[in-house]
Amino acid sequence: MNTATVLSFATPALHEQLAQLDADRLDQLDFGVIGFDAETQVCRYNRTESEAAGLTPPRVLGQPLFTNVAPCLNNFMVAQRFEDAQDEGTALDDTIDYVLTLRMRPVKVKLRLLAEPGSAVRYVLVQRRL
C-alpha cells in the first residue's frame, strides 16, 4: 500500500515518516505540509497546501516562513513554540486550533507543529477539513 495514503494528519510519529517521503508522495497527502529549515526557510511544500493557500511552490520555497510566507503564524502560538523547542533541544508535536488570516478570508484549521532535536526540517501541517 502507498505510504502517503495511509498517513493522516493525526498519524503518530509523523515527523520521521514525512522526512522519508519524496516530493511526489508528499503531494499525495490530503493535508497541507510546510517544511522549513533552521533559518525558517521553506524547503518542503506540498500540492495540497499550495492549492489551498493559492501560493505556488516557486513563490514559497526558499522564503522565510514566518515573515514572507505566513506572517500570520509569527506569534507565540506557532513560531515561538518552534523557537522554544529548538532552544531547549526538545521534540515538538502539538496540535492546535487556529484561524488563518493571510491573503484570504479567515479560515478555521487545525495546525500540527512538528520538530525533532537534530532534524534538519521542522513542519507545520494544516488540516482544513474540520
Side-chain angles (χ1 to χ4, degrees):
M1 180 176 255
N2 184 331
T3 305
T5 60
V6 297
L7 294 181
S8 75
F9 183 81
T11 298
L14 188 53
H15 186 281
E16 180 181 330
Q17 295 176 65
L18 289 173
Q20 296 173 9
L21 295 181
D22 65 21
D24 287 338
R25 292 172 61 127
L26 206 66
D27 283 344
Q28 295 172 20
L29 298 173
D30 68 353
F31 53 89
V33 177
I34 306 167
F36 61 99
D37 64 19
E39 288 77 41
T40 76
Q41 307 268 337
V42 176
C43 56
R44 305 198 76 194
Y45 188 66
N46 76 342
R47 180 181 299 124
T48 301
E49 186 58 25
S50 175
E51 291 173 356
L55 297 172
T56 63
R59 185 169 173 189
V60 171
L61 292 169
Q63 295 297 312
L65 175 61
F66 299 116
T67 54
N68 291 15
V69 177
C72 64
L73 301 179
N74 193 8
N75 56 48
F76 74 97
M77 291 180 69
V78 181
Q80 189 64 52
R81 288 184 194 200
F82 283 108
E83 191 173 312
D84 291 347
Q86 186 172 0
D87 290 349
E88 297 163 8
T90 57
L92 174 65
D93 187 349
D94 288 345
T95 300
I96 60 173
D97 292 319
Y98 202 76
V99 178
L100 296 175
T101 57
L102 184 67
R103 299 184 191 94
M104 61 187 85
R105 64 177 174 76
V107 177
K108 291 182 181 181
V109 299
K110 284 198 181 297
L111 297 180
R112 187 166 174 194
L113 315 178
L114 298 173
E116 290 290 334
S119 175
V121 180
R122 299 174 283 171
Y123 295 94
V124 174
L125 309 181
V126 184
Q127 181 70 45
R128 285 177 170 79
R129 291 179 308 236
L130 301 178

